[in-house]
Amino acid sequence: GIQVEQSPPDLILQEGANSTLRCNFSDSVNNLQWFHQNPWGQLINLFYIPSGTKQNGRLSATTVATERYSLLYISSSQTTDSGVYFCAVEDGGSNYKLTFGKGTLLTVNP
Amino acid sequence: NAGVTQTPKFRVLKTGQSMTLLCAQDMNHEYMYWYRQDPGMGLRLIHYSVGEGTTAKGEVPDGYNVSRLKKQNFLLGLESAAPSQTSVYFCASSLTSNIQYFGAGTRLSVL
């Protein structure tokens, strides 16, 4: 099956700093989503982005499908950005099944 | 509009006991999914459904059964719980195969 690798595994920032999270995948994809899991365990969809660039406030994401990677940018980080960020992909023949990476644990200190 | 609701939120079982986790969505979504999340790992798909009356196996289906008798509900059953099934279980739903919306999770411990 498709492989999803996220980097870095852990990231510690001071409030106000910027960061870039990366997601590499091993095959072409129909679907790529970024999720944020907050410290209470809730999973929130951030972006549906199988290709191109999207922005939502301080967050933006870019997927370069031909090179099989996606980037999540967090600008002017806040303590509420802390949590685990997951990349999940659906390959072309998977019938709607998302494969998740292991996530990036982000800690934003005040 | 509650979104995706999972019941119960917490449960402790003894090895060999059975239980059913309920997932309910009020968004009229066709697709529903059950995942498990283990420490330090991403979510892994257990079973999924592409519509009322349908179910299919995901990545880690062994030891679980599911049913989708009504469009809004997706049940996950453990017939004989094992310690290896200690995990956090998430249900999700989607209108198409695009954006999935997740419930708050069920934390299950099997002793």
Coordinates of all heavy atoms in Angstrom, one line a residue, chain B residues 16-84:
Chain B
G16 N -12.3 -11.2 26.6 CA -13.4 -12.1 26.3 C -14.8 -11.4 26.3 O -15.7 -12.0 25.7
Q17 N -14.9 -10.3 26.9 CA -16.2 -9.6 26.8 C -16.5 -9.0 25.5 O -15.6 -8.8 24.7 CB -16.3 -8.5 27.9 CG -16.4 -9.0 29.3 CD -16.6 -7.9 30.3 OE1 -15.9 -6.8 30.2 NE2 -17.5 -8.1 31.3
S18 N -17.8 -8.7 25.2 CA -18.1 -8.2 23.9 C -18.7 -6.8 24.2 O -19.2 -6.4 25.3 CB -19.2 -9.0 23.2 OG -20.4 -9.1 24.0
M19 N -18.7 -5.9 23.1 CA -19.3 -4.6 23.2 C -19.5 -4.1 21.8 O -18.9 -4.6 20.8 CB -18.5 -3.7 24.0 CG -17.3 -3.1 23.3 SD -16.6 -1.6 24.2 CE -18.0 -0.5 23.9
T20 N -20.3 -3.1 21.8 CA -20.6 -2.4 20.5 C -20.4 -0.9 20.7 O -20.9 -0.3 21.6 CB -22.1 -2.6 20.0 OG1 -22.3 -4.0 19.8 CG2 -22.4 -1.9 18.7
L21 N -19.7 -0.3 19.8 CA -19.5 1.1 19.7 C -20.4 1.7 18.7 O -20.5 1.2 17.6 CB -18.0 1.5 19.4 CG -17.0 1.4 20.4 CD1 -16.7 0.0 20.9 CD2 -15.7 2.0 19.9
L22 N -21.1 2.8 19.0 CA -22.1 3.4 18.1 C -21.5 4.7 17.6 O -21.0 5.5 18.3 CB -23.4 3.7 18.9 CG -24.4 4.5 18.1 CD1 -24.9 3.8 16.8 CD2 -25.6 4.9 19.0
C23 N -21.7 4.9 16.3 CA -21.3 6.2 15.6 C -22.6 6.7 14.9 O -23.2 5.9 14.2 CB -20.2 5.9 14.6 SG -19.8 7.4 13.7
A24 N -22.9 7.9 15.2 CA -24.1 8.5 14.6 C -23.7 9.8 13.9 O -23.0 10.6 14.6 CB -25.2 8.7 15.6
Q25 N -24.2 10.1 12.7 CA -24.0 11.3 12.0 C -25.3 11.9 11.5 O -26.1 11.2 11.0 CB -22.9 11.2 10.9 CG -23.2 10.1 9.9 CD -23.9 10.6 8.7 OE1 -24.2 11.8 8.5 NE2 -24.3 9.6 7.8
D26 N -25.4 13.2 11.6 CA -26.6 13.9 11.2 C -26.4 14.8 10.0 O -27.1 15.8 9.8 CB -27.2 14.7 12.4 CG -26.3 15.8 12.9 OD1 -25.2 16.0 12.3 OD2 -26.6 16.4 13.9
M27 N -25.4 14.5 9.2 CA -25.1 15.3 8.0 C -25.5 14.6 6.7 O -25.1 15.1 5.6 CB -23.5 15.6 8.0 CG -23.1 16.3 9.2 SD -21.3 16.6 9.3 CE -20.8 15.0 9.9
N28 N -26.2 13.5 6.8 CA -26.7 12.8 5.6 C -25.5 12.3 4.8 O -25.6 12.3 3.5 CB -27.6 13.7 4.8 CG -28.5 12.8 3.9 OD1 -28.9 11.7 4.2 ND2 -28.8 13.3 2.7
H29 N -24.4 12.0 5.4 CA -23.2 11.5 4.7 C -23.4 10.1 4.2 O -23.9 9.2 4.9 CB -22.0 11.6 5.5 CG -21.5 13.0 5.7 ND1 -20.5 13.4 6.5 CD2 -21.9 14.2 5.0 CE1 -20.2 14.7 6.4 NE2 -21.1 15.2 5.5
E30 N -22.9 9.8 3.0 CA -22.9 8.4 2.5 C -21.9 7.5 3.1 O -22.1 6.4 3.4 CB -22.7 8.4 1.0 CG -23.9 9.0 0.2 CD -25.1 8.1 0.3 OE1 -25.0 6.9 0.5 OE2 -26.3 8.6 0.2
Y31 N -20.7 8.1 3.3 CA -19.5 7.3 3.7 C -19.3 7.4 5.2 O -19.3 8.5 5.7 CB -18.3 7.7 2.9 CG -18.5 7.7 1.4 CD1 -18.6 8.9 0.8 CD2 -18.6 6.5 0.7 CE1 -18.8 8.9 -0.6 CE2 -18.8 6.5 -0.6 CZ -18.9 7.7 -1.3 OH -19.1 7.7 -2.6
M32 N -19.0 6.2 5.8 CA -18.6 6.2 7.2 C -17.5 5.3 7.4 O -17.3 4.3 6.7 CB -19.8 5.8 8.1 CG -21.0 6.8 8.0 SD -22.3 6.5 9.2 CE -21.6 7.1 10.7
Y33 N -16.7 5.6 8.5 CA -15.4 4.9 8.7 C -15.2 4.6 10.2 O -15.6 5.5 11.0 CB -14.2 5.7 8.2 CG -14.5 6.4 6.8 CD1 -15.2 7.6 6.7 CD2 -13.9 5.8 5.7 CE1 -15.4 8.2 5.5 CE2 -14.1 6.4 4.4 CZ -14.8 7.6 4.3 OH -15.0 8.2 3.1
W34 N -14.5 3.5 10.5 CA -14.0 3.3 11.8 C -12.5 3.2 11.8 O -11.9 2.4 11.0 CB -14.6 2.0 12.5 CG -15.9 2.2 13.1 CD1 -17.1 1.8 12.7 CD2 -16.2 2.9 14.3 NE1 -18.1 2.2 13.5 CE2 -17.5 2.9 14.6 CE3 -15.3 3.5 15.3 CZ2 -18.1 3.4 15.7 CZ3 -15.9 4.1 16.4 CH2 -17.3 4.0 16.6
Y35 N -11.8 3.9 12.6 CA -10.3 3.9 12.7 C -10.0 3.6 14.2 O -10.7 3.8 15.1 CB -9.7 5.3 12.4 CG -9.9 5.8 11.0 CD1 -11.0 6.5 10.7 CD2 -8.9 5.6 10.1 CE1 -11.1 7.0 9.4 CE2 -9.0 6.1 8.8 CZ -10.1 6.8 8.5 OH -10.3 7.3 7.2
R36 N -8.7 3.1 14.3 CA -8.1 3.0 15.7 C -6.8 3.8 15.7 O -6.1 3.8 14.6 CB -7.9 1.5 16.1 CG -7.0 0.7 15.3 CD -6.8 -0.7 15.8 NE -6.0 -0.7 17.0 CZ -5.8 -1.7 17.8 NH1 -6.4 -2.9 17.6 NH2 -5.0 -1.6 18.9
Q37 N -6.5 4.3 16.8 CA -5.3 5.1 17.0 C -4.5 4.5 18.2 O -5.0 4.6 19.3 CB -5.6 6.6 17.2 CG -4.3 7.4 17.3 CD -4.5 8.9 17.4 OE1 -5.5 9.3 18.0 NE2 -3.6 9.7 16.9
D38 N -3.3 4.1 18.0 CA -2.5 3.6 19.0 C -1.3 4.6 19.3 O -1.0 5.4 18.4 CB -1.9 2.2 18.6 CG -3.1 1.2 18.4 OD1 -3.8 1.0 19.4 OD2 -3.2 0.7 17.3
P39 N -0.7 4.5 20.5 CA 0.3 5.6 20.8 C 1.4 5.7 19.8 O 1.9 4.7 19.3 CB 0.8 5.0 22.2 CG -0.3 4.2 22.7 CD -1.0 3.6 21.6
G40 N 1.7 7.0 19.5 CA 2.8 7.2 18.5 C 2.5 6.9 17.1 O 3.4 6.9 16.3
M41 N 1.2 6.6 16.8 CA 0.9 6.2 15.4 C -0.2 7.0 14.9 O -1.0 7.6 15.6 CB 0.5 4.7 15.4 CG 1.6 3.8 15.8 SD 1.1 2.1 15.7 CE 1.1 1.9 13.9
G42 N -0.3 7.0 13.6 CA -1.5 7.7 13.0 C -2.7 6.7 13.1 O -2.6 5.7 13.7
L43 N -3.8 7.1 12.5 CA -5.0 6.3 12.5 C -4.9 5.2 11.5 O -4.3 5.4 10.4 CB -6.2 7.2 12.2 CG -6.7 8.0 13.4 CD1 -5.8 9.1 13.8 CD2 -8.1 8.6 13.1
R44 N -5.4 4.1 11.8 CA -5.5 3.0 10.9 C -7.0 2.6 10.7 O -7.7 2.4 11.6 CB -4.7 1.8 11.4 CG -3.2 2.0 11.4 CD -2.4 0.8 11.9 NE -2.7 0.5 13.3 CZ -2.3 -0.7 13.9 NH1 -1.7 -1.6 13.2 NH2 -2.6 -0.9 15.1
L45 N -7.3 2.3 9.4 CA -8.7 2.1 9.1 C -9.1 0.6 9.4 O -8.4 -0.3 9.0 CB -8.9 2.3 7.6 CG -10.4 2.2 7.1 CD1 -11.3 3.2 7.7 CD2 -10.4 2.3 5.5
I46 N -10.2 0.5 10.1 CA -10.7 -0.9 10.5 C -11.6 -1.4 9.5 O -11.5 -2.4 8.9 CB -11.3 -0.9 11.9 CG1 -10.3 -0.3 13.0 CG2 -11.7 -2.3 12.3 CD1 -11.0 0.0 14.3
H47 N -12.8 -0.7 9.4 CA -13.8 -1.0 8.4 C -14.4 0.3 7.9 O -14.3 1.3 8.6 CB -14.9 -1.8 9.0 CG -14.6 -3.3 9.3 ND1 -14.6 -4.2 8.3 CD2 -14.3 -3.9 10.4 CE1 -14.3 -5.4 8.9 NE2 -14.1 -5.2 10.1
Y48 N -15.1 0.2 6.8 CA -15.7 1.4 6.3 C -17.0 1.0 5.5 O -17.2 -0.2 5.2 CB -14.8 2.3 5.4 CG -14.4 1.6 4.1 CD1 -15.0 1.9 2.9 CD2 -13.4 0.6 4.1 CE1 -14.6 1.3 1.7 CE2 -12.9 0.0 2.9 CZ -13.5 0.4 1.7 OH -13.1 -0.2 0.6
S49 N -17.8 2.0 5.2 CA -19.1 1.8 4.5 C -19.3 2.9 3.5 O -19.1 4.1 3.8 CB -20.2 1.8 5.5 OG -21.5 1.8 4.9
V50 N -19.7 2.5 2.3 CA -19.9 3.5 1.2 C -21.4 3.8 1.1 O -21.8 4.5 0.1 CB -19.3 3.1 -0.1 CG1 -17.8 3.0 0.1 CG2 -19.9 1.8 -0.6
G51 N -22.3 3.3 1.9 CA -23.7 3.5 1.9 C -24.4 2.6 2.8 O -23.9 1.6 3.3
E52 N -25.7 2.9 3.0 CA -26.6 2.1 3.9 C -26.5 0.6 3.4 O -26.7 0.4 2.2 CB -28.0 2.6 3.9 CG -29.0 1.9 4.7 CD -30.3 2.5 4.7 OE1 -30.4 3.8 4.6 OE2 -31.3 1.8 4.7
G53 N -26.3 -0.3 4.3 CA -26.4 -1.7 4.0 C -25.1 -2.3 3.4 O -25.0 -3.5 3.1
T54 N -24.0 -1.4 3.3 CA -22.7 -1.9 2.8 C -21.7 -1.7 3.8 O -21.7 -0.8 4.7 CB -22.3 -1.0 1.5 OG1 -21.8 0.2 2.0 CG2 -23.4 -0.9 0.5
T55 N -20.7 -2.7 3.8 CA -19.5 -2.6 4.7 C -18.3 -3.2 3.9 O -18.5 -4.0 3.0 CB -19.7 -3.3 6.0 OG1 -19.8 -4.7 5.7 CG2 -20.8 -2.8 6.8
A56 N -17.1 -2.8 4.3 CA -15.9 -3.3 3.6 C -14.8 -3.3 4.6 O -14.8 -2.4 5.6 CB -15.6 -2.5 2.4
K57 N -13.8 -4.1 4.4 CA -12.7 -4.2 5.3 C -11.6 -3.1 5.0 O -11.4 -2.8 3.8 CB -12.0 -5.6 5.2 CG -12.9 -6.7 5.7 CD -12.2 -8.1 5.5 CE -13.0 -9.2 6.0 NZ -12.3 -10.5 5.9
G58 N -11.0 -2.6 6.1 CA -9.9 -1.7 5.9 C -8.6 -2.4 6.1 O -8.4 -3.5 5.8
E59 N -7.7 -1.7 6.8 CA -6.3 -2.1 6.9 C -6.2 -3.2 8.1 O -5.4 -4.1 8.0 CB -5.4 -0.9 7.2 CG -4.0 -1.3 7.4 CD -3.2 0.0 7.8 OE1 -3.7 1.1 7.9 OE2 -2.0 -0.2 8.1
V60 N -7.0 -3.0 9.2 CA -6.9 -3.9 10.3 C -8.2 -4.4 10.8 O -8.7 -4.1 11.9 CB -6.1 -3.1 11.5 CG1 -4.7 -3.0 11.2 CG2 -6.8 -1.7 11.7
P61 N -8.9 -5.2 10.0 CA -10.3 -5.6 10.3 C -10.4 -6.8 11.3 O -11.5 -7.0 11.8 CB -10.8 -6.0 8.9 CG -9.6 -6.6 8.2 CD -8.4 -5.7 8.7
D62 N -9.4 -7.5 11.5 CA -9.5 -8.8 12.3 C -9.9 -8.5 13.8 O -9.4 -7.6 14.4 CB -8.2 -9.5 12.3 CG -7.8 -10.1 10.9 OD1 -8.8 -10.1 10.1 OD2 -6.7 -10.4 10.7
G63 N -10.9 -9.2 14.2 CA -11.4 -9.1 15.6 C -12.6 -8.1 15.7 O -13.1 -7.9 16.8
Y64 N -13.0 -7.5 14.6 CA -14.0 -6.5 14.6 C -15.1 -6.8 13.6 O -14.8 -7.4 12.5 CB -13.5 -5.1 14.2 CG -12.4 -4.6 15.1 CD1 -11.0 -4.8 14.7 CD2 -12.6 -4.0 16.3 CE1 -10.0 -4.3 15.5 CE2 -11.6 -3.5 17.1 CZ -10.3 -3.7 16.7 OH -9.2 -3.2 17.4
N65 N -16.4 -6.5 13.9 CA -17.4 -6.6 12.9 C -18.2 -5.2 12.9 O -18.1 -4.5 13.9 CB -18.4 -7.7 13.2 CG -19.0 -7.7 14.6 OD1 -19.9 -6.9 14.8 ND2 -18.5 -8.5 15.5
V66 N -18.8 -4.9 11.8 CA -19.5 -3.7 11.6 C -20.9 -3.9 11.0 O -21.1 -4.9 10.3 CB -18.7 -2.7 10.8 CG1 -17.5 -2.1 11.5 CG2 -18.3 -3.3 9.4
S67 N -21.8 -2.9 11.2 CA -23.1 -3.0 10.5 C -23.5 -1.6 10.2 O -23.3 -0.6 11.0 CB -24.1 -3.7 11.3 OG -24.4 -3.1 12.5
R68 N -24.2 -1.4 9.1 CA -24.7 -0.1 8.7 C -26.2 -0.3 8.2 O -26.5 -0.3 7.0 CB -23.9 0.5 7.5 CG -24.3 1.9 7.1 CD -23.4 2.9 7.6 NE -23.9 4.2 7.2 CZ -23.4 4.9 6.1 NH1 -22.5 4.3 5.3 NH2 -23.8 6.1 5.8
L69 N -27.0 -0.5 9.2 CA -28.4 -0.8 8.9 C -29.2 0.5 8.6 O -30.2 0.4 7.8 CB -29.1 -1.5 10.1 CG -28.5 -2.9 10.4 CD1 -29.2 -3.5 11.6 CD2 -28.5 -3.8 9.2
K70 N -28.8 1.6 9.1 CA -29.4 2.9 8.8 C -28.3 3.8 8.3 O -27.1 3.7 8.8 CB -30.0 3.5 10.1 CG -31.2 2.7 10.6 CD -31.8 3.5 11.8 CE -33.0 2.8 12.3 NZ -33.6 3.5 13.5
K71 N -28.6 4.7 7.4 CA -27.6 5.6 6.8 C -26.9 6.4 7.9 O -25.7 6.6 7.7 CB -28.3 6.5 5.8 CG -27.4 7.4 5.1 CD -28.1 8.2 4.1 CE -27.2 9.1 3.2 NZ -27.9 9.9 2.2
Q72 N -27.5 6.8 8.9 CA -26.9 7.7 9.9 C -26.1 7.0 10.9 O -25.4 7.6 11.7 CB -28.0 8.6 10.6 CG -29.0 7.8 11.4 CD -30.2 7.4 10.6 OE1 -30.2 7.1 9.4 NE2 -31.4 7.4 11.3
N73 N -26.2 5.6 11.0 CA -25.5 4.9 12.1 C -24.5 3.9 11.5 O -24.8 3.2 10.6 CB -26.5 4.2 13.0 CG -27.4 5.1 13.7 OD1 -27.1 6.3 13.9 ND2 -28.6 4.6 14.1
F74 N -23.3 3.8 12.2 CA -22.3 2.8 11.8 C -21.8 2.2 13.1 O -21.3 2.9 14.0 CB -21.2 3.5 11.1 CG -20.3 2.5 10.3 CD1 -20.7 1.3 9.8 CD2 -19.0 2.9 10.1 CE1 -19.9 0.5 9.1 CE2 -18.1 2.1 9.4 CZ -18.6 0.9 8.9
L75 N -22.1 0.9 13.3 CA -21.7 0.2 14.6 C -20.5 -0.6 14.4 O -20.3 -1.3 13.4 CB -22.9 -0.7 15.0 CG -24.1 -0.1 15.7 CD1 -24.8 0.9 14.8 CD2 -25.1 -1.2 16.2
L76 N -19.6 -0.6 15.4 CA -18.4 -1.4 15.5 C -18.5 -2.3 16.6 O -18.7 -1.9 17.8 CB -17.2 -0.5 15.7 CG -15.9 -1.2 15.8 CD1 -15.5 -1.8 14.4 CD2 -14.8 -0.3 16.3
G77 N -18.4 -3.6 16.4 CA -18.6 -4.6 17.4 C -17.3 -5.4 17.7 O -16.5 -5.7 16.7
L78 N -17.0 -5.7 18.9 CA -16.0 -6.5 19.4 C -16.6 -7.8 20.0 O -17.3 -7.6 21.0 CB -15.1 -5.9 20.4 CG -14.1 -4.8 19.9 CD1 -14.8 -3.5 19.6 CD2 -13.1 -4.5 21.0
E79 N -16.5 -8.9 19.4 CA -17.2 -10.1 19.9 C -16.5 -10.7 21.1 O -17.2 -11.2 22.0 CB -17.3 -11.2 18.8 CG -18.3 -10.7 17.7 CD -18.5 -11.9 16.7 OE1 -17.8 -12.9 16.7 OE2 -19.5 -11.7 15.9
S80 N -15.2 -10.7 21.1 CA -14.4 -11.3 22.2 C -13.2 -10.4 22.4 O -12.2 -10.6 21.7 CB -14.0 -12.7 21.9 OG -13.3 -13.3 23.0
A81 N -13.3 -9.4 23.2 CA -12.2 -8.4 23.3 C -10.9 -9.0 23.8 O -10.9 -9.9 24.7 CB -12.7 -7.3 24.3
A82 N -9.8 -8.5 23.2 CA -8.5 -8.9 23.6 C -7.7 -7.6 24.0 O -7.9 -6.5 23.6 CB -7.8 -9.5 22.4
P83 N -6.6 -7.8 24.9 CA -5.8 -6.6 25.3 C -5.2 -5.9 24.1 O -5.0 -4.7 24.2 CB -4.7 -7.3 26.1 CG -5.4 -8.5 26.7 CD -6.3 -9.0 25.6
S84 N -5.0 -6.6 23.0 CA -4.4 -5.9 21.8 C -5.4 -4.9 21.2 O -5.1 -4.1 20.3 CB -4.0 -6.9 20.7 OG -5.2 -7.7 20.3

